[in-house]
Amino acid sequence: MTYDPTGHLLLTPVDREAPARVQRLRQLGFGERPDPAFDDFAHKLADVTGAPYSMVNFIDENRQFFAGLHTPGGMHSGTAGAAVAGGEVSRFMARDHGYCPHVVVRRKALVLEDVCDYPRFAGNPVVDEIGIRSYLGAPLIDRTGIALGTICVVDTEPRPWGRPGLETIKSLAAELIEQIHRREDGGV
């Protein structure tokens, strides 16, 4: 783990699995371009949870890529840059922004009903820059044992996700991993 020497807040964790993840993502053909099937899955995440933003997120050594993305207005950009710029949500975000890198390294789902209640997470740049107040995410661990990324939903308001939210996001992550495996095996 790394620490901010001025505030001693926990920053993005060290990700020793990143090189193997990048190789696996390349093998699968994920992480470089939007995918309509992942966009559809992100829409499903939003529908099931009632969250305004949802993502299928693949993570490499330096950035996160939202191969699947749902936003309230359906607006998003394929270019790199700030997560929110000119009313559009980018499909790229720095690795040190957000909570998905923590989920990938922990290899466990994460429920933050109000990120401001957790000093470890409240200082994350997405709180001030984007206004994220609530997060629910689960890792996408494939058949090789590699955490490819996450599925997640976020809101600009605190949300009482609770145990039902946790079980829902874990179940949806398992569903998406099955889809990824069928795709890799040549199925639909």
Side-chain angles (χ1 to χ4, degrees):
M1 303 285 181
T2 56
Y3 294 88
D4 175 351
T6 58
H8 301 291
L9 294 176
L10 185 62
L11 301 176
T12 307
V14 174
D15 184 358
R16 299 190 199 303
E17 190 178 58
R21 178 180 317 107
V22 169
Q23 182 177 11
R24 180 69 173 140
L25 289 171
R26 284 188 185 132
Q27 179 184 25
L28 292 168
F30 299 158
E32 293 297 322
R33 62 188 175 282
D35 186 306
F38 293 146
D39 279 340
D40 290 345
F41 199 87
H43 294 308
K44 178 179 181 170
L45 286 169
D47 288 342
V48 169
T49 63
Y53 299 91
S54 58
M55 300 82 154
V56 174
N57 186 10
F58 298 119
I59 302 171
D60 68 20
E61 294 104 327
N62 303 307
R63 68 178 187 180
Q64 303 174 69
F65 175 68
F66 305 127
L69 178 63
H70 171 85
T71 65
M75 298 179 301
H76 44 275
S77 166
T79 61
V84 175
E88 292 189 351
V89 177
S90 173
R91 289 199 182 253
F92 297 98
M93 188 161 57
R95 193 179 165 283
D96 64 350
H97 283 53
Y99 309 106
C100 291
H102 294 271
V103 171
V104 166
V105 170
R106 290 168 25 122
R107 303 172 64 84
K108 292 182 182 178
L110 179 63
V111 178
L112 299 172
E113 294 181 344
D114 185 342
V115 299
C116 294
D117 289 344
Y118 302 88
R120 173 181 180 180
F121 297 113
N124 194 286
V126 297
V127 175
D128 293 331
E129 293 176 17
I130 304 171
I132 300 302
R133 286 292 302 275
S134 183
Y135 173 91
L136 178 64
L140 295 170
I141 301 173
D142 84 340
R143 61 174 55 134
T144 67
I146 294 174
L148 303 174
T150 68
I151 58 169
C152 70
V153 295
V154 297
D155 201 337
T156 56
E157 301 292 330
R159 294 284 299 263
W161 305 113
R163 181 156 297 281
L166 175 64
E167 295 307 320
T168 297
I169 201 74
K170 288 167 60 175
S171 173
L172 289 165
E175 181 181 325
L176 184 57
I177 280 295
E178 286 304 314
Q179 287 181 22
I180 289 169
H181 290 162
R182 281 194 305 275
R183 183 189 284 195
E184 182 181 27
D185 294 341
V188 175

